[in-house]
Amino acid sequence: MRRETRVPHPSWRLLTHGHGDHWFNTGLLAERFGARVVATEGTIGQMHVNVAARPFVWDKVFPGIPESPVTAVTVPDNRFTLEGKDLAIVEVGYTDTDADTGGRDRRRHSPCGMTSVE
């Protein structure tokens, strides 16, 4: 007997750094699920750099990727609430780019620029 699992729709997308292979599909996800896309000012700056580099790098490595305008916004004080949990977006310095971030709540923090939420 096959058991079906319900996967929740993403309501937020936290972009941890501006490399195109981490966010070029974000516009499609936001449109399909109505997700809010957030990042720090530093990450948004890196996103603009990677949009400019698309013809020279990303389109050669990943041909056929969709148009990817920068739609991420900052949140006040780099904080937001997800499923009742208050999260802080923390710029952790260089891990993969100059403006990497990690998400932090009281239980988990990942210094590698990624976010985990239970």
Side-chain angles (χ1 to χ4, degrees):
M1 175 189 265
R2 182 176 169 199
R3 182 178 176 187
E4 292 196 25
T5 303
R6 184 178 175 269
V7 177
H9 294 282
S11 56
W12 290 82
R13 176 90 194 259
L14 171 60
L15 304 177
T16 60
H17 66 283
H19 284 161
D21 60 331
H22 291 264
W23 69 270
F24 279 157
N25 68 343
T26 297
L28 296 174
L29 292 173
E31 183 180 311
R32 179 170 181 182
F33 298 111
R36 185 164 180 206
V37 181
V38 298
T40 63
E41 283 185 33
T43 296
I44 292 171
Q46 288 291 323
M47 292 168 73
H48 286 287
V49 168
N50 279 274
V51 166
R54 266 190 76 152
F56 311 106
V57 178
W58 300 111
D59 290 337
K60 291 181 179 183
V61 176
F62 302 108
I65 56 177
E67 288 299 314
S68 307
V70 175
T71 59
V73 297
T74 59
V75 290
D77 299 321
N78 280 336
R79 302 185 73 80
F80 65 100
T81 301
L82 177 66
E83 296 179 355
K85 296 173 180 76
D86 292 324
L87 300 175
I89 305 169
V90 180
E91 287 201 345
V92 295
Y94 186 90
T95 61
D96 201 21
T97 69
D98 289 331
D100 286 353
T101 60
R104 178 179 63 185
D105 66 13
R106 288 191 296 263
R107 294 167 305 207
R108 290 190 176 189
H109 175 68
S110 174
C112 63
M114 300 306 287
T115 302
S116 21
V117 178
E118 290 181 333

